[in-house]
Amino acid sequence: SQQGEEDPQALSIQEGENATMNCSYKTSINNLQWYRQNSGRGLVHLILIRSNEREKHSGRLRVTLDTSKKSSSLLITASRAADTASYFCATPSGSARQLTFGSGTQLTVLP
Amino acid sequence: GEEVAQTPKHLVRGEGQKAKLYCAPIKGHSYVFWYQQVLKNEFKFLISFQNENVFDETGMPKERFSAKCLPNSPCSLEIQATKLEDSAVYFCASSSTGQLGQPQHFGDGTRLSIL
């Protein structure tokens, strides 16, 4: 079952603009991960934030985590056409740490 | 290899036929996961393996789905007596350990179409 919702479901921006995606989850977590899925491809791990962290950066990516609100956000700065993809948040759960995914945000960056 | 390799890319079966999907995890990775993606967004966990042992199968439909990871062979996911609702993209992922926070490496999936 899905961990939670992501919003927006779809986002269309111009190249150079920033894109922000939000994710809500339901259960207590140890960490939260963000993945990208290009059309017709598998998921690619982008960044992980632990439950005791509030913000993390990696290149043009900035992730925040608010455990009191059970929410996370992914900010992509200075977006490029190549950033066009679906973005999913995921949390590890279960005995083998399988991932439980959010519903995803489809990002389109227009050149 | 350095990538998770899934075959075939596309598989078309008539309703009631058998479907078998294969996955070669990254060499040295101990954990393998299978997920089902329906309608381009919802991912459902099916089963995980630690080496050749089933680790968690809580997501597997019991009656028609089975999976194996045998030594020196690709892992496989088999669906007997396929139904229209089995149409989906099936992803395999591997990780080096089962530790919390270990990123998973995904293959490009097998698109299964049941006609």
Side-chain angles (χ1 to χ4, degrees):
Chain A
S1 62
Q2 292 299 294
Q3 171 67 295
E5 295 298 315
E6 290 186 54
D7 77 272
Q9 286 191 329
L11 178 61
S12 185
I13 59 174
Q14 295 293 135
E15 208 165 22
E17 293 181 337
N18 296 342
T20 300
M21 290 156 263
N22 303 295
C23 161
S24 62
Y25 56 91
K26 297 175 182 173
T27 60
S28 296
I29 61 170
N30 179 278
N31 68 71
L32 185 142
Q33 303 174 32
W34 284 89
Y35 286 78
R36 182 187 74 228
Q37 184 180 32
N38 289 89
S39 182
R41 303 298 299 274
L43 293 160
V44 174
H45 180 266
L46 294 176
I47 193 167
L48 177 151
I49 186 166
R50 302 191 189 285
S51 60
N52 61 354
E53 297 176 309
R54 292 294 167 259
E55 188 171 314
K56 197 163 183 179
H57 297 254
S58 175
R60 293 184 297 113
L61 304 179
R62 174 181 167 248
V63 170
T64 63
L65 180 64
D66 187 335
T67 53
S68 66
K69 294 181 180 177
K70 289 188 166 60
S71 67
S72 174
S73 68
L74 172 67
L75 167 68
I76 304 174
T77 59
S79 62
R80 305 166 183 168
D83 295 328
T84 295
S86 291
Y87 292 82
F88 293 87
C89 64
T91 54
S93 61
S95 55
R97 309 297 187 246
Q98 59 265 26
L99 295 172
T100 303
F101 289 90
S103 52
T105 293
Q106 170 65 52
L107 173 66
T108 302
V109 181
L110 303 169
Chain B
E2 292 301 312
E3 293 183 344
V4 175
Q6 289 190 248
T7 56
K9 282 181 116 41
H10 304 280
L11 186 59
V12 180
R13 288 288 180 265
E15 200 172 8
Q17 291 185 318
K18 182 175 73 176
K20 196 164 185 178
L21 293 58
Y22 297 91
C23 166
I26 291 174
K27 194 174 181 181
H29 280 194
S30 305
Y31 284 80
V32 172
F33 305 81
W34 284 97
Y35 297 90
Q36 178 193 57
Q37 185 183 27
V38 179
L39 298 175
K40 288 191 177 181
N41 45 33
E42 184 174 330
F43 283 88
K44 179 190 173 189
F45 166 73
L46 296 176
I47 190 169
S48 61
F49 288 83
Q50 181 185 18
N51 298 312
E52 63 266 26
N53 304 307
V54 174
F55 203 88
D56 188 326
E57 57 182 345
T58 52
M60 282 285 268
K62 295 291 185 204
E63 297 91 17
R64 299 181 297 107
F65 284 58
S66 62
K68 293 179 186 176
C69 276
L70 301 176
N72 303 313
S73 296
C75 297
S76 63
L77 176 68
E78 189 167 10
I79 309 172
Q80 304 284 345
T82 53
K83 299 181 179 181
L84 295 175
E85 69 214 42
D86 298 331
S87 293
V89 182
Y90 291 83
F91 287 97
C92 173
S94 70
S95 66
S96 56
T97 72
Q99 289 180 356
L100 278 174
Q102 192 70 26
Q104 294 183 14
H105 300 261
F106 284 75
D108 284 339
T110 292
R111 178 174 298 279
L112 176 64
S113 298
I114 306 301
L115 305 178

